[in-house]
Amino acid sequence: MARAPFKLGEHTIMPGQRLQVDVPVARLYTHTPLHIPVEVVHGRKDGPVMLVCGGIHGDEINGVEIVRRVLRAKAINSIRGTLIAVPVVNVFGFLQQTRYLPDRRDLNRCFPGSESGSLGGRIAALFREQIVDHATHIIDLHTGAIHRTNLPQIRAQLSPGSETERMADAFGAPVVLNAELREGSLRHYAQTRGIPVLTYEAGEALRFDEWAIAPGVRGVLRVMRRLGMLTGEQRRRTPAPAELANGSSWARAPIDGILRPKVRLGARVAKGEVLGKVADPFGNDEGEVRAVADGIVIGMSRLPLANEGEALFHIARFDEIEEAETAVESFNSSLVPPTDSFF
């Protein structure tokens, strides 16, 4: 029996076809129409419907490049199932190079949205109805916020033997956080509907970090291969198993001043270790930023200017810290070129 066509709004994509679609979302002040760009790759054979999306936060652009490269992968041409690729969800924020919508709302706190609600609620409702509700699996691509960078990591709500765990295991990031669902997020909405979701966090806002992009592309393709959407052998060696963090916490600035970090992203640290020093411009008043637990630095500030209490170093805790350190080192050594790592 021939596979049924895939319908997205008013568009029909036939088996074996790929089509770029502009989903109308709003208008600018000038009355210029604004669209969410979507590409659908509808395979000839049955399989999962995978949504891969970036730019829910408009300044997080590593995901935009990951989606582009996934769509250019040769393996996609013989896909089983359907790929829905959305490089930029928050087109307003993307145009203004900001995380937020024009009304300062975070789109990733607006799901499931409302057709009669705020701008964020209306865009969330449109994206949910037109795109998200078609998916059987989702990979949501993110970075750290402005002036913050993240070690490549997966965040997901995991349970033993679940489809989400299977996807996280396949992705190949060095660290997995069993993260609670945040109400209003895409992950919260999808997970409550039984759609397994991975959030990939890597790099910094408004930057193209190759050490975050290339592993993200490989991770998406690995998940698709694990789900049976792609055939053929994986060319690269299998990454070291990811380590599951049992929690995380931030080390904060003890005083106002200028930060001089002493550790880098991915470093193993011990509780009480000095991660950096914050001082006034003359160095007369100086405070030490100390690790609040043994763990791995999975996120940190890239801006030297710090206010008292500001989060500076994000530390993930592990039951098996040596294994976590090995996983990070293995991941780092797999980057090409080797010097293009973390920073």
Side-chain angles (χ1 to χ4, degrees):
M1 180 182 295
R3 192 177 185 211
F6 185 87
K7 294 186 179 297
L8 184 65
E10 299 178 353
H11 301 274
T12 299
I13 302 94
M14 302 302 294
Q17 183 185 11
R18 56 194 299 171
L19 182 68
Q20 291 183 358
V21 175
D22 289 330
V23 177
V25 64
R27 289 183 180 270
L28 300 176
Y29 298 131
T30 59
H31 213 60
T32 303
L34 207 58
H35 302 86
I36 296 176
V38 181
E39 183 163 340
V40 178
V41 185
H42 190 46
R44 296 183 184 277
K45 297 182 179 180
D46 288 334
V49 178
M50 169 74 79
L51 167 61
V52 180
C53 60
I56 282 185
H57 295 133
D59 59 356
E60 298 182 3
I61 64 174
N62 279 335
V64 180
E65 178 64 5
I66 290 172
V67 172
R68 187 191 71 83
R69 295 191 195 180
V70 167
L71 287 170
R72 296 297 170 266
K74 292 181 179 179
I76 297 298
N77 295 327
S78 56
I79 189 175
R80 295 171 181 262
T82 305
L83 172 65
I84 308 173
V86 186
V88 184
V89 179
N90 181 0
V91 286
F92 276 109
F94 188 72
L95 287 172
Q96 296 298 320
Q97 301 175 22
T98 179
R99 177 185 182 91
Y100 301 107
L101 293 162
D103 60 1
R104 297 296 296 169
R105 281 184 167 84
D106 183 336
L107 181 57
N108 207 30
R109 297 294 179 269
C110 293
F111 287 91
S114 168
E115 295 179 356
S116 60
S118 66
L119 175 62
R122 294 174 189 227
I123 294 175
L126 173 72
F127 186 61
R128 167 179 57 81
E129 293 169 359
Q130 294 283 322
I131 297 168
V132 175
D133 287 348
H134 289 291
T136 61
H137 300 74
I138 298 175
I139 299 179
D140 186 19
L141 305 168
H142 288 260
T143 76
I146 189 76
H147 302 312
R148 295 182 188 275
T149 188
N150 281 334
L151 180 78
Q153 59 197 260
I154 288 294
R155 299 182 184 180
Q157 186 180 52
L158 303 175
S159 56
S162 67
E163 187 79 336
T164 306
E165 184 182 62
R166 194 162 74 102
M167 291 169 63
D169 178 67
F171 195 97
V175 171
V176 175
L177 288 177
N178 192 0
E180 294 182 0
L181 297 173
R182 291 194 175 186
E183 190 169 352
S185 68
L186 170 62
R187 190 162 66 91
H188 180 271
Y189 168 73
Q191 202 81 45
T192 56
R193 284 179 54 86
I195 304 172
V197 185
L198 298 185
T199 298
Y200 175 62
E201 289 268 3
E204 182 181 355
L206 295 177
R207 297 287 182 272
F208 267 6
D209 299 302
E210 184 60 26
W211 52 264
I213 294 168
V217 175
R218 294 197 295 269
V220 171
L221 296 176
R222 284 193 193 103
V223 172
M224 294 178 71
R225 189 167 284 109
R226 178 69 64 89
L227 297 177
M229 298 180 71
L230 302 180
T231 57
E233 294 296 324
Q234 181 175 301
R235 294 182 179 180
R236 289 182 174 267
R237 63 185 176 88
T238 303
E243 288 299 317
L244 179 63
N246 59 30
S248 68
S249 52
W250 283 90
R252 299 180 179 275
I255 61 173
D256 304 295
I258 300 170
L259 170 67
R260 304 191 311 279
K262 300 294 184 183
V263 298
R264 65 200 301 264
L265 202 62
R268 175 181 175 179
V269 298
K271 184 177 182 178
E273 180 179 342
V274 176
L275 307 178
K277 295 184 178 181
V278 178
D280 65 60
F282 296 104
N284 296 325
D285 190 13
E286 184 175 81
E288 296 177 333
V289 185
R290 293 184 176 272
V292 293
D294 296 342
I296 301 290
V297 178
I298 62 167
M300 60 185 293
S301 173
R302 294 293 304 271
L303 184 67
L305 311 180
N307 293 307
E308 182 178 348
E310 189 169 346
L312 300 179
F313 299 90
H314 192 192
I315 300 171
R317 303 184 297 274
F318 300 87
D319 291 329
E320 302 293 341
I321 186 66
E322 289 79 9
E323 283 78 357
E325 183 180 29
T326 299
V328 172
E329 290 175 350
S330 175
F331 178 86
N332 204 18
S333 66
S334 72
L335 299 175
V336 181
T339 54
D340 189 19
S341 56
F342 304 153
F343 61 84

